[in-house]
Amino acid sequence: DIQMTQSPSILSASVGDRVTITCRASQSISVWLAWYQQKPGKAPKLLIYKASNLESGVPSRFSGSGSGTEFSLTITGLQPDDFATYYCQQYNGRAYTFGQGTKLEIK
Amino acid sequence: QVQLVQSGAEVKKPGASMKVTCKTSGYNFYSYAIHWVRQAPGQGLEWMGWINAGNGNTKYSQKYQDRVTITRNTSATTAYLELSSLRSEDTAVYFCASGSAPTGGYSDYWGQGTLITVSS
């Protein structure tokens, strides 16, 4: 199975900051990558699909980039509502896998 | 609007089986997959498998291949997750999610989650 490695595992930041989360695939997945946001006790919410496409209704401060094995999620101008856990997921091939998650904390 | 509503929390004995229901509405059920994802307490997300709601074809994670069955009832626009031979490590919240394509894709709409507790 394709392994997804996210970094960092924990990220401390302040409101207004620009932050980037990285996701690396163990083999090429082209652009078949999604990013989700999850808050405690809630279902994940789709943010980005096909590496860089913003899901409808998601604020434009979220952006995604990358292809092949290296991907990133950037939040420009952090808002209080953005402090949550973020997961990448590859959906290429036989089995789909998630990264281990990045918890975005208030500094 | 698109909705996925899951069955309620359950407690199961080790060795038993579980079945979680995912009732969908608000979209063309037959044209998309349904994924199942689980999350153990304090842990990350783990994909278990998907079903093509149109033709019933399935794809499972190798980790669960021997214990999991995903089915659907097209007339009820409902999908089901069955997991057998439960052990304590299967205690988790189980989510269903609609796929962006008939054969998987990303997960755009999610159910609220169902907590399954495995305990003697």
Side-chain angles (χ1 to χ4, degrees):
Chain A
D1 291 355
I2 298 172
Q3 305 303 312
M4 305 302 292
T5 304
Q6 276 182 246
S7 61
S9 296
I10 301 173
L11 180 56
S12 296
S14 302
V15 172
D17 284 354
R18 178 179 184 270
V19 298
T20 297
I21 299 168
T22 298
C23 186
R24 176 174 294 168
S26 59
Q27 63 190 71
S28 178
I29 57 169
S30 184
V31 291
W32 306 117
L33 184 101
W35 289 96
Y36 302 90
Q37 177 194 68
Q38 188 181 33
K39 296 183 178 178
K42 300 294 187 182
K45 174 188 174 183
L46 176 68
L47 300 174
I48 301 284
Y49 63 93
K50 206 175 176 184
S52 62
N53 291 269
L54 192 68
E55 172 69 350
S56 176
V58 174
S60 59
R61 61 180 179 273
F62 291 91
S63 62
S65 65
S67 65
T69 62
E70 298 283 338
F71 302 86
S72 62
L73 172 71
T74 298
I75 312 171
T76 302
L78 272 173
Q79 297 299 302
D81 191 51
D82 300 338
F83 292 95
T85 301
Y86 294 84
Y87 294 93
C88 62
Q89 183 201 24
Q90 65 82 16
Y91 53 101
N92 179 67
R94 190 199 174 279
Y96 296 0
T97 43
F98 288 92
Q100 79 276 18
T102 295
K103 185 175 183 180
L104 179 55
E105 297 181 330
I106 300 175
K107 185 184 287 184
Chain B
Q1 73 281 23
V2 176
Q3 284 193 305
L4 290 83
V5 179
Q6 299 182 222
S7 49
E10 296 190 68
V11 179
K12 295 292 185 181
K13 300 280 190 193
S17 296
M18 66 173 229
K19 188 172 186 176
V20 180
T21 298
C22 177
K23 168 64 178 171
T24 76
S25 60
Y27 73 103
N28 187 348
F29 178 77
Y30 317 94
S31 296
Y32 300 96
I34 294 286
H35 293 277
W36 287 94
V37 173
R38 84 176 194 178
Q39 187 169 37
Q43 303 301 308
L45 302 171
E46 186 176 20
W47 176 80
M48 299 181 72
W50 56 252
I51 186 167
N52 180 326
N55 63 19
N57 287 347
T58 54
K59 192 86 72 175
Y60 300 132
S61 166
Q62 278 194 313
K63 178 177 178 179
Y64 302 102
Q65 182 81 35
D66 296 337
R67 298 197 293 139
V68 69
T69 305
I70 300 174
T71 56
R72 93 285 192 229
N73 179 329
T74 53
S75 60
T77 64
T78 298
Y80 308 91
L81 171 73
E82 293 181 81
L83 189 64
S84 63
S85 303
L86 291 171
R87 39 230 193 205
S88 58
E89 309 89 88
D90 293 317
T91 294
V93 176
Y94 291 79
F95 294 101
C96 63
S98 59
S100 60
T103 53
Y106 56 86
S107 299
D108 42 10
Y109 296 94
W110 293 68
Q112 82 276 19
T114 297
L115 175 62
I116 301 294
T117 303
V118 182
S119 173
S120 54

